[in-house]
Amino acid sequence: MSTLTHEEHQRVVKTLGREPNEVELGIFSVMWSEHCCYKSSKMYLKNFPTKSPRVLLGPGENAGIIDIGDGYAVAFKIESHNHPSFIEPYQGAATGVGGILRDIFTMGARPIASLNSLHFGDFDHPRTEYLLRGVVAGIGGYGNAVGVPMVGGEVHFDSCYNGNILVNAFALGVLRHDRIFKGIAAGVGNPVILVGSKTGRDGIHGATMASDVFDSESESKRPTVQVGDPFTEKKLMEACLEAFEIGGAIVGIQDMGAAGFTCSTFEMSARGGAGMELWLDKIPLRETKMTPYEIMLSESQERMLLVAEKGREEELKRVFEKWELEFAVVGKVIAEKKVVGTFHGETIFDLPVAPVTDEAPVYERPVKKPVSPSPTPLLMGEGKGEGDRKLDGLPIKEWIWRQYDYSVGTNTVMGPGGPAALIRVKENGKLLALTVNSRADLCAEDPYLGTMAAVAEGVEKLAKVGAKPLGVTNCLNFGNPENPEVMWQFKEACRGLADACKQYDIPVVSGNVSLYNETNAPTLREGQGKNIKPTPVIAIVGIVENESCAA
């Protein structure tokens, strides 16, 4: 299945000097999807402020990292799992939590807190309760089992999400300055190793599904949703954190999330300025007769790809086998800047790294300011109406919080219900404050001011617990970028986020873009269906300098 446009396909042919085969076409399709290459949004993201004296690692890796003193730092990020959660709410939300946790511990950090931002359709819509119950159960079921507390979040209801809910997951972890790991491939001859779970057929084309609109056939896309196993995730997390303590054994490591082997091999090679040879027949499979195409595009969960220092394989193998996880040498780093895949000695694909990654298309799409039918005053304050809604006799927010374990780990000083969550960092005794905010109601009228308002609310909530902002991560949820009015909303929201963060002197260290949140387009890419309201979700991490100020 190819989701490339005709022009993109012709660009591939020109780059390779030949027609791509089926596997190569699948690789380009996922790596050139909005989900992986940000081709419609990249030009606006570069305007965010990303530096401060505390920033150790900004955008471009699996998570941003900020110094919190005493040789310790925090890694954090927020990401979307919108389309999968609408198609299969429990597994979609659960694997969203699993994916963001892996983004954190792949950096060398132990996750200590999670947040979420949830947007559902009209509360009385016939599908809303089913989606709400499934999503909350998935978040709680995965997070509670892994043992990472869900300490706060937000929930909103609006008819614009009737056909396209939003499930955004945030996680934060603690690490030492001398134990920061990156997703790079380096050192010619170093082994490429799969750790974690076997590879199955679940999640194939998940990245391209996440980069498409919903139509009447969306229910049939359930096979593209990954299936999570939180207990394997817990073992994988502990094994990785233990392996990180073996000095010099791990050169680079990356979560195998979107696009599985495809994304991890090409992105690690691009960052390391090297290439890989991948032996597909050496990959442990949990299903029979999987094709190279399926192996490369599978998004099976709880997997990591790492590059080890040659000769250190046995040290690492002992760790992962102790935790009853797969450990398989599936390739090696090569000097040529390409990724080559073989299957039982036959070359299946042979692609240069740069055209697949750094040279992916970047579009400056047309923008057009929409005509607002009934402008309303922009007012600061909480979202409207959520406090009046109940489920099973409880206020909706309390009903949600009761299904999350927000005290596991004994780091939670203030959990759900306060202006911001407060987490104690046991390693150095510092207090961190976490908050997540969105103002789609205001963004629908003025995305620039509405995004600024979301940032301002987050800063205000941190101030209420005596915290100074350290950094921002964002999840930018918008409709179809091929609709000029949607792109105007996106452009203005990015401008608002950049200006607000500059005003408050807060760096943006990580983030995610979710586009094509559109329902019932007459054809998949005309951009004429029902788009969600512009919904930039802003998560801010702060530090309490004076604990006596904490509310």
Side-chain angles (χ1 to χ4, degrees), residues 1-291:
M1 182 181 91
S2 173
T3 56
L4 299 176
T5 65
H6 175 73
E7 292 76 14
E8 288 170 347
H9 183 92
Q10 291 303 112
R11 180 171 170 172
V12 170
V13 172
K14 183 177 179 180
T15 297
L16 299 181
R18 58 177 172 81
E19 282 285 342
N21 63 35
E22 180 189 33
V23 178
E24 293 170 335
L25 193 57
I27 289 171
F28 273 104
S29 291
V30 294
M31 292 300 290
W32 284 12
S33 68
E34 289 287 351
H35 190 74
C36 291
C37 80
Y38 291 25
K39 58 189 174 185
S40 297
S41 59
K42 187 178 291 185
M43 63 175 292
Y44 299 108
L45 306 181
K46 62 184 179 183
N47 296 320
F48 297 155
T50 59
K51 296 180 180 179
S52 83
R54 288 183 179 264
V55 174
L56 301 180
L57 196 63
E61 270 289 347
N62 292 295
I65 300 180
I66 287 187
D67 174 38
I68 59 170
D70 308 305
Y72 288 94
V74 288
F76 58 91
K77 188 180 183 182
I78 190 168
E79 278 208 343
S80 63
H81 231 224
N82 302 334
H83 285 41
S85 298
F86 181 80
I87 295 170
E88 176 49 63
Y90 184 94
Q91 290 296 347
T95 52
V97 173
I100 197 64
L101 291 176
R102 290 193 300 280
D103 280 342
I104 299 306
F105 69 76
T106 192
M107 305 299 299
R110 176 175 289 279
I112 63 169
S114 296
L115 304 170
N116 59 70
S117 174
L118 309 177
H119 292 75
F120 295 97
D122 186 84
F123 193 74
D124 298 320
H125 187 275
R127 192 172 168 84
T128 295
E129 184 175 337
Y130 160 75
L131 292 169
L132 173 63
R133 288 184 182 275
V135 164
V136 172
I139 292 171
Y142 203 101
N144 295 352
V146 174
V148 177
M150 183 65 66
V151 296
E154 62 170 359
V155 60
H156 299 280
F157 299 89
D158 189 292
S159 61
C160 77
Y161 308 109
N162 281 349
N164 201 129
I165 65 174
L166 304 181
V167 176
N168 294 179
F170 165 98
L172 174 142
V174 177
L175 71 163
R176 302 201 310 266
H177 288 192
D178 62 349
R179 283 291 185 270
I180 295 175
F181 289 84
K182 299 179 181 180
I184 62 171
V188 175
N190 279 340
V192 176
I193 302 169
L194 168 77
V195 297
S197 292
K198 288 183 169 70
T199 296
R201 289 189 171 94
D202 55 315
I204 293 173
H205 276 296
T208 49
M209 176 270 291
S211 308
D212 218 335
V213 299
F214 280 141
D215 60 7
S216 59
E217 302 300 317
S218 294
E219 290 293 323
S220 67
K221 296 179 180 178
R222 276 198 171 91
T224 63
V225 178
Q226 310 96 319
V227 177
D229 178 354
F231 300 105
T232 298
E233 177 101 342
K234 172 64 173 176
K235 293 193 294 183
L236 181 60
M237 178 175 72
E238 297 300 338
C240 286
L241 293 173
E242 183 176 333
F244 293 150
E245 295 298 318
I246 305 175
I250 295 179
V251 175
I253 183 169
Q254 178 154 323
D255 165 41
M256 294 177 63
F261 274 104
T262 294
C263 199
S264 54
T265 54
F266 279 91
E267 288 189 352
M268 292 178 76
S269 296
R271 294 192 193 106
M276 284 189 192
E277 185 177 302
L278 189 65
W279 311 320
L280 301 180
D281 52 296
K282 301 297 184 183
I283 295 170
L285 306 177
R286 65 167 180 257
E287 298 183 47
T288 60
K289 297 182 180 179
M290 286 187 67
T291 66

Side-chain angles (χ1 to χ4, degrees), residues 395-519:
I396 191 64
K397 290 185 178 180
E398 182 181 351
W399 178 86
I400 292 173
W401 296 337
R402 285 193 176 193
Q403 297 181 63
Y404 300 154
D405 188 339
Y406 51 83
S407 61
V408 63
T410 67
N411 293 316
T412 307
V413 175
M414 180 183 293
L422 281 174
I423 300 294
R424 188 179 307 280
V425 180
K426 290 179 180 177
E427 288 81 357
N428 66 0
K430 299 288 178 68
L431 274 183
L432 299 177
L434 318 175
T435 184
V436 61
N437 300 277
S438 62
R439 291 306 305 266
D441 54 335
L442 304 186
C443 287
E445 301 299 336
D446 189 324
Y448 174 78
L449 292 177
T451 305
M452 294 188 79
V455 176
E457 284 190 9
V459 172
E460 178 185 9
K461 289 177 180 179
L462 293 184
K464 288 180 179 179
V465 296
K468 177 183 178 181
L470 291 178
V472 160
T473 181
N474 61 81
C475 197
L476 306 178
N477 306 277
F478 286 78
N480 192 324
E482 295 170 53
N483 181 326
E485 294 187 355
V486 170
M487 278 312 299
W488 179 86
Q489 293 172 336
F490 185 86
K491 176 183 178 181
E492 288 298 290
C494 288
R495 188 168 69 91
L497 177 56
D499 285 355
C501 288
K502 291 172 184 175
Q503 183 69 34
Y504 289 111
D505 195 23
I506 317 172
V508 176
V509 297
S510 60
N512 175 236
V513 176
S514 175
L515 301 177
Y516 290 103
N517 290 291
E518 180 189 36
T519 311

